[in-house]
Amino acid sequence: MYDMAHARWHHILMVSQRHVLKAVDEWNCSSGNYSDFLTHMHKAWHYLLHAEFHMDKIDYHYKDPKTGQYVLIDGEPKAWDLEWCLKQRYTNSADPVRLNAELFVALRNKVEHRYEHNLKIATGGKAQALVMNYEQEMVDYFGSKYSLADRLRFPISLQALTAEGREQLQEAAKKLPKHTRDLVAKFEAAIDPDLLDDLKYDYRVRLVPMVGSKTEADLAIDFVKLDELTEEERKVMVEAGRKGTVIIRDRQVEVADKAKLRAKQVCTLVEEQLPFEFSPFSEHLEMWQRFKVRPAKNSAKPYDTDARYCIYSEAFNSYLYTSTWVAKIIKEIGTVEKYRKFFGKEPRMKTVIPLPKQAGSPTEEGVPHPQSESA
């Protein structure tokens, strides 16, 4: 029985989380089964999107186009399958998150036991992206309190770190059955080449040793995001990644707060995309506090920020924000309805910018629990 203290979407989300944890356990276990990893990740994404639809009061069940009646399975309405859910959630067919998940939907029923190890090696980066995209989607939609970051342990595959490992990856790909190789090849042939390099589609990394003095803010690995580089830097990094180049730095070159934004700049960028005002001393202040993006001013731990959205600049004793934070703000309060729901008040409308058309929100009514789709 369900705990009535929680909404139905919460119970669906908990089922989703159990599946993603089981999937990662299968990946990490030396005797784990890759087909089980794929099955659990499939179900984790399926239930995650059903939880989102349920929370938004969206009816996610098939209806007969002629009669308008529900399509039934064992007397119950048939829930949307994952592939259709992805199309409804990510309406842009070129979205790398959607493409990554759709590839694994296609691969799920193509796994042959004797080729599992080779497929795991050949699709390792994409599998890593599948898990990371899941965590990001869940946190963005339901909030950081539902994060599984403290329980998900999904190590970077060693094939990405050594020359021998890269050779193993190439050999593994060659040993896959022809129909599996053809499936991946045809799938990727239809994708823009730039999207194939997106870390949300295929999480391939190179490690760069960090030199110079270590601070509390340092991590063991320095991650470089392609979307935060200039066009010239991006070309260099992408080409280096394709060739398996390892970049060794002989000296430390300081680039102070590259591509970071002050609070006022954040608000300006946000306001450019909204029909109402957004103040650094009102809305922005409340948002970074509620999302715990950074500590309060004069905190004893100034580096304790959410690095996705904010960093502490020691040189200027101030906090700077990322373009990802701008996108997060717009997603959370980008319409009048979302603004009212978040802040509990009316927005201060700008008279020079017309209100953009918004899709009507569904009426609030119960939705049945999602059913497992047929294999």
Side-chain angles (χ1 to χ4, degrees):
M1 290 192 53
Y2 287 121
D3 177 2
M4 298 306 293
H6 288 294
R8 180 67 63 84
W9 65 259
H10 179 273
H11 296 292
I12 301 172
L13 182 60
M14 293 303 99
V15 174
S16 173
Q17 288 193 349
R18 287 198 293 274
H19 279 294
V20 76
L21 290 172
K22 288 180 180 179
V24 174
D25 284 345
E26 287 291 336
W27 179 279
N28 289 329
C29 179
S30 59
S31 59
N33 186 297
Y34 191 51
S35 64
D36 285 348
F37 166 81
L38 296 180
T39 296
H40 284 301
M41 281 307 304
H42 187 103
K43 291 180 178 180
W45 266 102
H46 196 194
Y47 279 106
L48 173 63
L49 296 182
H50 280 188
E52 291 183 10
F53 297 148
H54 195 98
M55 186 179 187
D56 287 344
K57 308 299 184 293
I58 295 173
D59 187 352
Y60 49 92
H61 297 84
Y62 289 108
K63 289 185 178 180
D64 187 307
K66 294 182 179 179
T67 65
Q69 300 297 313
Y70 285 116
V71 176
L72 302 180
I73 295 182
D74 297 329
E76 295 292 333
K78 180 183 178 182
W80 292 346
D81 60 27
L82 177 55
E83 190 169 11
W84 186 248
C85 287
L86 290 167
K87 287 181 170 63
Q88 305 312 304
R89 170 62 184 87
Y90 303 98
T91 55
N92 179 5
S93 60
D95 189 299
V97 176
R98 170 176 159 178
L99 289 170
N100 172 269
E102 285 179 334
L103 174 62
F104 283 100
V105 169
L107 283 174
R108 181 189 176 205
N109 296 323
K110 297 292 184 181
V111 181
E112 296 180 32
H113 180 70
R114 57 180 171 159
Y115 297 113
E116 278 188 27
H117 179 68
N118 292 329
L119 185 61
K120 181 177 181 180
I121 294 173
T123 61
K126 297 176 179 65
Q128 177 112 18
L130 185 69
V131 175
M132 295 178 72
N133 292 343
Y134 172 93
E135 164 73 5
Q136 189 67 55
E137 172 71 12
M138 180 173 58
V139 171
D140 284 349
Y141 210 89
F142 296 102
S144 57
K145 70 177 182 179
Y146 288 100
S147 172
L148 293 174
D150 61 334
R151 287 184 279 170
L152 288 177
R153 298 291 183 270
F154 199 84
I156 296 171
S157 176
L158 292 179
Q159 283 79 23
L161 310 184
T162 66
E164 293 78 10
R166 288 191 294 276
E167 291 176 3
Q168 183 185 7
L169 190 153
Q170 293 169 352
E171 287 301 313
K174 292 177 183 178
K175 294 177 182 177
L176 289 174
K178 184 177 184 302
H179 64 265
T180 302
R181 282 187 281 115
D182 288 348
L183 186 155
V184 176
K186 290 178 181 178
F187 186 90
E188 295 192 336
I191 298 176
D192 187 313
D194 288 339
L195 290 175
L196 297 178
D197 293 322
D198 195 307
L199 294 183
K200 291 180 180 178
Y201 176 74
D202 192 353
Y203 196 82
R204 297 173 296 169
V205 299
R206 293 288 180 266
L207 298 187
V208 180
M210 297 185 70
V211 296
S213 59
K214 182 177 176 62
T215 71
E216 289 184 5
D218 284 338
L219 296 172
I221 300 172
D222 188 16
F223 289 90
V224 180
K225 296 182 67 175
L226 287 180
D227 58 4
E228 293 182 358
L229 301 178
T230 66
E231 188 62 32
E232 184 177 351
E233 291 169 334
R234 193 194 317 254
K235 289 180 180 178
V236 172
M237 292 295 289
V238 168
E239 189 60 28
R242 285 172 176 158
K243 293 181 178 179
T245 304
V246 178
I247 302 172
I248 300 176
R249 296 185 294 179
D250 294 325
R251 60 190 178 89
Q252 187 171 13
V253 179
E254 297 291 345
V255 180
D257 307 325
K258 183 176 180 63
K260 299 302 185 291
L261 306 165
R262 294 183 180 275
K264 188 174 181 180
Q265 292 173 303
V266 169
C267 293
T268 298
L269 291 173
V270 169
E271 278 197 343
E272 288 176 354
Q273 302 182 57
L274 300 181
F276 41 79
E277 297 177 5
F278 188 82
S279 167
F281 306 108
S282 177
E283 289 90 353
H284 187 250
L285 173 64
E286 184 172 345
M287 288 197 76
W288 69 248
Q289 288 176 334
R290 286 172 63 175
F291 284 109
K292 299 180 180 179
V293 168
R294 46 158 281 198
K297 189 176 181 181
N298 300 323
S299 168
K301 296 181 178 180
Y303 291 103
D304 190 17
T305 68
D306 186 331
R308 296 172 300 171
Y309 306 130
C310 178
I311 66 164
Y312 173 68
S313 173
E314 186 174 10
F316 298 101
N317 187 29
S318 64
Y319 292 95
L320 301 176
Y321 303 88
T322 67
S323 58
T324 305
W325 175 233
V326 174
K328 172 74 170 174
I329 292 172
I330 294 169
K331 179 178 179 180
E332 294 293 334
I333 56 99
T335 68
V336 173
E337 287 185 357
K338 289 182 178 180
Y339 183 100
R340 290 192 191 112
K341 183 177 180 180
F342 189 92
F343 294 110
K345 62 181 181 181
E346 292 294 321
R348 302 180 304 280
M349 303 302 295
K350 294 186 293 186
T351 58
V352 294
I353 300 179
L355 181 66
K357 295 175 68 177
Q358 301 296 332
S361 59
T363 57
E364 187 169 342
E365 57 186 45
V367 184
H369 192 284
Q371 298 179 3
S372 301
E373 67 188 88
S374 301

